[in-house]
């Protein structure tokens, strides 16, 4: 059975990754009016990296080659199925409480890893914004290493 | 100061905003700007607004409340107009377009799906199916200094990875799309080869969710499906 993570389950606690996606929708999607000003979201734009460019790089080729060299064909190891469950009811009441919980959770998780990655403690309320920037920087860095 | 815009609804929406906070600290008070056919939920725009936790949560909270009672067009976080009069002017000017979009998302929710696959599993599949990859792999294993061969191997794999991921992505979306009204592609990320939003009618949410589970079950445990929703239809307005 495949692992399915559903972000709006209040107890899922499955890390910042999937919760972060909800935040991404709020910041990156939604209706825009051209005549209006958009508040500055420092660092957020960095998230939009063209993956295709990253994939077609010599660094990526070497990483794939090495991963392939290391691959043990015999083992056929299966990824552990970390079933965190699950969809359950997609009800309206579920929607109200749960997606909000997920959002809060996301930002909290961000703050946590921000603290790990960045020692200078910004004022409490600035963390979500800064965190986004820190997270995307780290992502970028990881991609470059790859 | 400016006017912060949260969402646009039809004029008949009940707009139960009581108990909700706007963005800013102290939280701005929510109010509405109405025209004959449309209504905008707004507040004063706090000075130096940023994407802080409280503000993003307030923005999202408004969307969730509005959705309970009817269709609403969620704005992207952080939109600020000069004043209420400008908001009213925009509502008048683009009235038809907004009414059209409201009818499109009426009774629907967004579900966002991300899928990743264990990389080793994908590499094994490529190795099994490509003699050229196996040859190059043997050669570079025996001779780790063969830089050109390594690059050639990696480039070959990279192409295979992309082809296979695009195919899997198209397959999955094709199987789930019938359970949804519309789909909206998002660029894949490095981690998730599939990153797609579905607009799903409320009554069909359970069926959609079931379809996702079924698809996940068939893909096996080297895939991880992450489903987010129900959400305001951010990707479909």
């Amino acid at each position: 059975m495949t692992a399915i993570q559903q972000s709006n389950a209040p107890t899922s606690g499955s890390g910042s990754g999937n919760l972060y996606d909800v935040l991404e929708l709020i910041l990156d999607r939604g209706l825009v009016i051209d005549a209006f000003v958009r508040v500055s979201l420092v660092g957020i734009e960095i998230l939009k990296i063209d993956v295709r460019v990253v994939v077609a790089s010599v660094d990526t080729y070497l990483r794939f080659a090495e991963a392939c060299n290391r691959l043990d064909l015999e083992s056929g190891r299966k990824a552990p199925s970390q079933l965190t469950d699950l969809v359950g009811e997609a009800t309206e009441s579920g929607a109200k409480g749960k997606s909000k919980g997920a959002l809060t959770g996301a930002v909290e998780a961000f703050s946590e890893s921000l603290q790990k990655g960045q020692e200078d403690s910004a004022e409490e309320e600035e963390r979500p914004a800064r965190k986004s920037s820190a997270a995307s920087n780290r992502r970028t860095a990881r991609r470059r290493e790859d | 100061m400016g006017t912060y815009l949260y969402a646009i609804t039809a004029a008949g929406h009940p707009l139960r905003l009581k108990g909700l906070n706007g963005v800013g600290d102290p939280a701005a008070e929510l109010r509405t700007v109405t025209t004959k056919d449309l209504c905008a939920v707004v507040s004063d725009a706090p000075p130096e607004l940023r994407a802080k936790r409280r503000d993003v949560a307030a923005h999202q909270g408004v969307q969730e409340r509005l959705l309970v009672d009817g269709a609403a067009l969620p704005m992207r976080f952080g939109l600020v107009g000069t004043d209420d009069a400008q908001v009213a002017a925009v509502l008048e000017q683009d009235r038809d377009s907004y009414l059209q979009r409201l009818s499109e998302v009426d009774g629907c929710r967004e579900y966002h799906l991300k899928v990743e696959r264990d990389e080793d599993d994908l590499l094994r599949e490529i190795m099994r199916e490509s003699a050229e990859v196996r040859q190059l792999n043997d050669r570079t294993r025996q001779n780790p200094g063969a830089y050109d061969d390594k690059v050639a191997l990696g480039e070959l794999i990279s192409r295979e990875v992309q082809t296979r991921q695009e195919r899997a992505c198209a397959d999955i979306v094709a199987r789930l799309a019938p359970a949804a009204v519309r789909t909206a592609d998002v660029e894949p990320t490095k981690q998730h080869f599939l990153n797609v939003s579905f607009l799903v009618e409320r009554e069909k949410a359970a069926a959609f969710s079931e379809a996702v589970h079924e698809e996940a079950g068939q893909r096996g445990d080297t895939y991880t499906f992450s489903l987010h929703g129900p959400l305001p239809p951010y990707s479909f307005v």
Side-chain angles (χ1 to χ4, degrees), chain A residues 2 8 21 38 69 71 87 146, chain B residues 77 141 190 209 213 216 220 229:
Chain A
T2 303
N8 63 2
D21 302 328
R38 178 100 201 277
N69 283 171
L71 207 57
V87 178
D146 291 345
Chain B
F77 177 87
R141 261 183 171 168
K190 191 126 187 273
S209 168
H213 273 74

Side-chain angles (χ1 to χ4, degrees), chain A residues 2-3 5-8 18 21 29-31 37-39 51 55 63 69 71 86-87 92 99 125-126 128 146, chain B residues 64 74 76-78 80 101 109 114 137 140-141 186 188 190 209 213 216 220 223 225 227-229 234-235:
Chain A
T2 303
Q5 301 163 339
Q6 172 114 3
S7 68
N8 63 2
N18 54 356
D21 302 328
R29 295 303 184 94
L31 188 60
V37 177
R38 178 100 201 277
V39 300
V51 178
V55 168
R63 191 185 68 75
N69 283 171
L71 207 57
L86 250 237
V87 178
E92 198 61 36
S99 36
E125 293 298 340
E126 299 247 339
D146 291 345
Chain B
E64 288 173 348
R76 191 174 296 183
F77 177 87
V80 178
R101 288 181 219 197
R109 300 289 178 269
K114 286 177 181 289
N137 189 46
T140 50
R141 261 183 171 168
V186 189
K190 191 126 187 273
S209 168
H213 273 74
Y223 288 76
F225 282 57
L227 183 61
H228 313 271
Y234 283 105
S235 304

Side-chain angles (χ1 to χ4, degrees), chain B residues 11-50:
Chain B
H13 195 290
L15 300 166
R16 294 182 300 118
L17 300 173
K18 229 185 188 159
L20 287 178
N21 284 330
V23 295
D25 184 19
E29 203 172 315
L30 296 171
R31 61 175 186 270
T32 55
V33 173
T34 51
T35 61
K36 185 165 159 288
D37 299 305
L38 291 166
C39 190
V41 178
V42 303
S43 72
D44 288 345
E48 294 178 33
L49 177 64
R50 309 262 290 276

Side-chain angles (χ1 to χ4, degrees), chain A residues 1-8 18-19 21-33 35-41 50-52 54-56 58 60-73 75-79 81-82 86-88 90-92 95-96 99-100 103-104 107-108 111 124-126 128-130 139 143 146, chain B residues 5 8 49-54 56-57 59-60 64 68 73-81 86-87 90 98 101 109-112 114 118-120 123-124 127 133 137 140-141 147 150-151 153-155 157-158 161-162 184-190 197 202 205 209 213 216-217 219-221 223-231 234-235 237:
Chain A
M1 175 64 193
T2 303
I4 297 192
Q5 301 163 339
Q6 172 114 3
S7 68
N8 63 2
N18 54 356
L19 299 174
D21 302 328
V22 180
L23 192 60
E24 204 181 338
L25 290 175
I26 300 168
L27 298 179
D28 264 356
R29 295 303 184 94
L31 188 60
V32 173
I33 292 173
F36 282 32
V37 177
R38 178 100 201 277
V39 300
S40 152
L41 301 172
D50 190 342
V51 178
R52 276 166 293 205
V54 178
V55 168
V58 172
T60 306
Y61 297 161
L62 290 174
R63 191 185 68 75
F64 271 139
E66 268 147 33
C68 203
N69 283 171
R70 277 199 307 270
L71 207 57
D72 182 2
L73 271 176
S75 76
R77 182 190 61 86
K78 295 269 181 181
S81 90
Q82 354 99 320
L86 250 237
V87 178
T91 62
E92 198 61 36
K96 269 164 61 192
S99 36
K100 192 163 185 180
L103 174 68
T104 310
V107 179
E108 268 163 12
S111 303
E124 174 79 14
E125 293 298 340
E126 299 247 339
R130 285 173 177 241
R139 271 199 196 180
R143 280 176 181 142
D146 291 345
Chain B
L5 181 53
I8 295 173
L49 177 64
R50 309 262 290 276
K52 297 172 189 170
R53 171 208 301 206
R54 175 192 53 231
V56 176
H59 184 91
Q60 172 75 351
E64 288 173 348
V68 173
L73 304 178
M75 311 307 294
R76 191 174 296 183
F77 177 87
L79 283 186
V80 178
Q86 189 193 20
V87 174
V90 166
Y98 293 144
R101 288 181 219 197
R109 300 289 178 269
E110 176 167 344
Y111 286 78
H112 190 73
K114 286 177 181 289
D118 178 66
E119 187 177 274
D120 283 359
L123 291 179
R124 270 189 209 98
M127 285 264 259
V133 166
N137 189 46
T140 50
R141 261 183 171 168
Y147 181 83
K150 267 194 175 169
V151 172
L153 171 62
E155 188 174 2
I157 293 171
S158 189
V161 164
Q162 221 166 338
D185 277 0
V186 189
E187 287 285 294
T189 64
K190 191 126 187 273
S197 276
R202 235 163 64 193
S209 168
H213 273 74
R219 290 275 157 184
D221 60 9
Y223 288 76
T224 304
F225 282 57
S226 308
L227 183 61
H228 313 271
L231 299 164
Y234 283 105
S235 304
V237 293

